[in-house]
Amino acid sequence: MPHTLHHPSAPPARLTDAVAALQLVDLAISRPPRSETVVFLADDSHLGHTCFIVSGTSAVDDVLDVAALVVEVAERSPAVHAIVLATVRPAQPIASGRSDLDRGLELIELFEAAGLELLDWFVIGPDGASSLREGTGLPLLWRGGADGGSACRAGPALRRRQPQAGGPQPP
């Protein structure tokens, strides 16, 4: 069952690039890491206003159920326009194979059909974080920085970083 993280004194967060999104994910994920999916909901200017976490998303297809929940939430809130997902898989290495990429493309289709932008889906494993958009070569939708793009644009399509004590690393 999802639970909502809410801190009344925290200002909304602008989702400007993958690095900023992963910094927010790092604040939200459980310590020690456990199977869960973090969801950030943002408006059309990518100002994040809601975060919730769905615990127990240990099956690789659970993210699709989370996405269906997000679509339901978005239908009730016209302010929701953009989404960031981050699935934590603490015991599994990051899958660079076809299954996560196919699953990610299905997520994009589901959100586009609902009129929503999937800014990115990160998979966080023991080897670090991977980005769906950078892993597939799909256009980056971030509106931050001088060029409106991602701070991670210059790197390889799918990068792995060694985890540090501070949490997930940028893709």
Side-chain angles (χ1 to χ4, degrees):
M1 190 66 160
H3 74 275
T4 302
L5 299 179
H6 176 68
H7 192 286
S9 63
R14 186 152 322 271
L15 300 169
T16 57
D17 56 38
V19 172
L22 280 171
Q23 287 172 341
L24 289 172
V25 168
D26 186 49
L27 293 173
I29 62 174
S30 298
R31 299 286 192 274
R34 64 181 181 183
S35 296
E36 60 191 2
T37 298
V38 178
V39 179
F40 291 109
L41 305 178
D43 63 17
D44 60 351
S45 65
H46 297 178
L47 186 63
H49 53 75
T50 302
C51 172
F52 64 91
I53 299 170
V54 181
S55 303
T57 55
S58 55
V60 292
D61 283 332
D62 285 348
V63 70
L64 299 172
D65 294 331
V66 172
L69 173 65
V70 169
V71 168
E72 286 182 36
V73 169
E75 287 173 349
R76 296 184 185 122
S77 176
V80 176
H81 179 76
I83 314 298
V84 172
L85 298 175
T87 299
V88 179
R89 296 181 185 159
Q92 298 174 347
I94 294 173
S96 59
R98 182 175 151 87
S99 64
D100 269 347
L101 295 180
D102 286 343
R103 195 171 294 105
L105 294 174
E106 188 174 343
L107 288 170
I108 290 172
E109 288 177 16
L110 175 70
F111 287 129
E112 284 180 353
L116 302 168
E117 289 181 322
L118 178 60
L119 298 177
D120 215 334
W121 173 41
F122 300 103
V123 177
I124 301 166
D127 296 330
S130 68
S131 159
L132 169 68
R133 290 218 174 254
E134 291 187 17
T136 58
L138 290 169
L140 302 175
L141 302 177
W142 305 109
R143 295 186 186 151
D147 64 355
S150 169
C152 300
R153 181 173 303 196
L158 181 62
R159 292 181 285 162
R160 293 184 182 182
R161 305 237 180 177
Q162 292 302 316
Q164 295 179 352
Q169 300 300 303

